[in-house]
Amino acid sequence: MSWNDEGPWGEGDKDNPWRQKPKRTKGNSPNIEELFKKTQDNFKKIFPKKNKGGGKTLWYIALGAFVLWLLTGIYTVQQDEQAAILRFGKWVRTTDPGLNYHLPSPIETALIRNVTSINVFTNSNSNQAAPAGLSGEGALMLTGDENIVDVQFAVNWRIKDLGDFLFNVKSPDSTIRAAADSVVRAVIAQTPIAQVLSEGRSKINVQLREMLQKLVDDYKLGVEISQVELLKVTPPTAKVNDAYLDVQRAKADMERKRNEAEFYRNSIVPVARGKAKKIIQDAEAYKAKVMADIEGEASRFQLVYDQFRAAPEVTRIRLYLDAMEYILKDTQKLIMDSEKSQGVQPYLPLPELKKVKKQSEENV
């Protein structure tokens, strides 16, 4: 069969599906049944009935391609990552680590980012223009007592919510930098230069982190500020730097001397208080002992006096004997009787007899 004007789908072929239809007037309406029948006939000509196997193959190929397209939606999120799912460019959800699925592209796409790594930036490379006569590597700031200092600081942060981080702010990195610079300037503007340069820096670091975290939370940046640290705070010019350092050294010496004095006071005062307390306690004990001895002596004297009033002669003899016993108890004693000696001196060694008696008692 030749391909001519009257051939299959030629200009004169009435069955040509792409043949330009004749224009209809307003009064003529198309016959829907005829149009449907012509379309069906054209479809049969393209896929004839005798080629049934070829039609099924096309359907299997189309089904396989569709299944493969669906499988492209499987994705994996690592342990330190999160994935933001976009549906036709709009953020719809955030997925956690693991094996996940989203509708295949271009319906949905996944943006995967690391959310555990710590991001660090400093203001050391700031392009801020310094006033005439002033130069610094960081940022020039005004302190609470109207002094100018060159401040270098570092901020450590990480992503806490990936959806907020990507879609709430156009440029989150720049926003964090601007927020950090604003917070540091606000705190330095309320702090005297002495605290900024020396002893108050650790407290300032804590205050900076808390204020910056509150600010980024208000912006809904989806980040967590782990640390804000003042790296270096110096006077703005080298001419006054030595003077500032001398002042800081003098303050450090003053603080050291103060600490030494406090240590000496703490070591001396407790010892002195302990000695004073011991003296007072010894005096109280001596007073109690003396009073007890006095009361005991008075009680004994009163007893003796009462006995003396009852029997004066007996009491006098007993007192004499007690006195003689007290006087003679540690002296050697000899008993002599000259009236009955008859020319021989009688001798009674009482101490030796006492020793002999004691030794005999020990031997027994």
Side-chain angles (χ1 to χ4, degrees):
M1 179 174 62
S2 61
W3 300 93
N4 50 30
D5 292 342
E6 300 299 331
W9 299 352
E11 293 182 0
D13 191 356
K14 297 179 180 180
D15 296 331
N16 185 359
W18 291 279
R19 184 172 59 87
Q20 186 176 3
K21 301 296 187 298
K23 295 182 180 180
R24 295 185 177 87
T25 59
K26 294 183 179 180
N28 297 330
S29 59
N31 191 336
I32 297 178
E33 293 182 359
E34 291 181 1
L35 291 176
F36 181 75
K37 186 177 180 180
K38 289 181 179 181
T39 304
Q40 189 176 10
D41 293 339
N42 294 332
F43 186 78
K44 288 180 180 180
K45 290 179 180 180
I46 297 174
F47 299 102
K49 293 182 178 180
K50 62 181 180 180
N51 194 15
K52 293 183 178 179
K56 291 183 178 180
T57 302
L58 292 176
W59 282 109
Y60 289 152
I61 294 174
L63 181 60
F66 180 73
V67 172
L68 291 176
W69 178 67
L70 291 178
L71 292 178
T72 59
I74 299 175
Y75 66 100
T76 302
V77 180
Q78 300 299 327
Q79 189 65 32
D80 56 350
E81 297 176 338
Q82 284 185 354
I85 306 302
L86 307 182
R87 182 176 299 165
F88 297 112
K90 180 181 179 181
W91 172 52
V92 291
R93 66 184 182 277
T94 302
T95 57
D96 294 325
L99 187 63
N100 298 277
Y101 181 81
H102 65 77
L103 295 178
S105 179
I107 300 176
E108 288 185 348
T109 56
L111 297 178
I112 301 176
R113 296 288 187 276
N114 190 307
V115 295
T116 59
S117 61
I118 300 299
N119 303 280
V120 182
F121 74 85
T122 65
N123 69 329
S124 298
N125 298 325
S126 176
N127 295 324
Q128 175 188 4
L134 299 178
S135 63
E137 298 178 357
L140 298 177
M141 301 182 185
L142 189 66
T143 63
D145 49 1
E146 298 182 355
N147 287 292
I148 298 177
V149 290
D150 190 358
V151 180
Q152 298 180 27
F153 62 88
V155 178
N156 299 351
W157 62 275
R158 70 173 186 87
I159 300 175
K160 180 172 63 175
D161 190 299
L162 183 59
D164 292 341
F165 179 77
L166 292 177
F167 304 109
N168 279 345
V169 179
K170 182 178 181 181
S171 180
D173 293 340
S174 301
T175 304
I176 295 173
R177 288 178 177 272
D181 187 76
S182 175
V183 169
V184 172
R185 289 182 180 276
V187 173
I188 296 298
Q190 299 174 0
T191 308
I193 189 172
Q195 296 184 15
V196 176
L197 292 175
S198 57
E199 68 270 9
R201 191 174 300 183
S202 59
K203 183 179 179 181
I204 293 174
N205 291 336
V206 176
Q207 185 181 2
L208 289 174
R209 192 197 69 79
E210 294 176 352
M211 293 180 62
L212 183 57
Q213 183 65 61
K214 184 178 183 302
L215 186 58
V216 297
D217 288 343
D218 293 340
Y219 288 159
K220 296 182 179 180
L221 285 178
V223 300
E224 178 183 357
I225 307 298
S226 57
Q227 185 181 15
V228 180
E229 183 180 5
L230 296 179
L231 299 177
K232 186 178 179 182
V233 181
T234 57
T237 60
K239 295 181 180 179
V240 298
N241 191 27
D242 293 338
Y244 273 108
L245 293 178
D246 290 340
V247 172
Q248 297 308 313
R249 283 193 289 267
K251 290 183 178 180
D253 292 340
M254 180 187 68
E255 190 67 22
R256 180 174 58 82
K257 293 294 184 181
R258 181 184 298 170
N259 293 334
E260 291 176 357
E262 290 290 336
F263 175 77
Y264 180 74
R265 185 178 72 89
N266 294 333
S267 62
I268 293 299
V269 172
V271 173
R273 289 176 179 173
K275 288 182 179 180
K277 190 173 182 180
K278 182 178 181 300
I279 293 173
I280 293 174
Q281 291 177 349
D282 292 343
E284 293 291 338
Y286 179 75
K287 173 185 176 182
K289 179 179 178 299
V290 171
M291 293 299 297
D293 292 342
I294 293 174
E295 291 176 358
E297 293 293 336
S299 298
R300 286 194 295 273
F301 180 81
Q302 186 65 36
L303 292 174
V304 173
Y305 179 71
D306 294 339
Q307 293 176 3
F308 178 78
R309 292 182 61 186
E313 189 63 25
V314 174
T315 303
R316 186 180 296 110
I317 295 173
R318 187 173 68 81
L319 291 175
Y320 173 76
L321 295 176
D322 290 341
M324 296 305 296
E325 180 182 5
Y326 177 77
I327 295 171
L328 299 176
K329 69 177 181 178
D330 294 329
T331 60
Q332 292 187 357
K333 294 173 281 294
L334 298 177
I335 299 177
M336 302 174 61
D337 189 359
S338 59
E339 295 179 356
K340 298 179 181 182
S341 60
Q342 298 178 357
V344 178
Q345 182 68 36
Y347 172 69
L348 182 61
L350 295 179
E352 285 74 7
L353 292 176
K354 186 175 181 181
K355 292 180 181 179
V356 171
K357 182 178 179 182
K358 184 176 181 181
Q359 291 178 356
S360 62
E361 290 178 352
E362 291 179 352
N363 293 331
V364 173

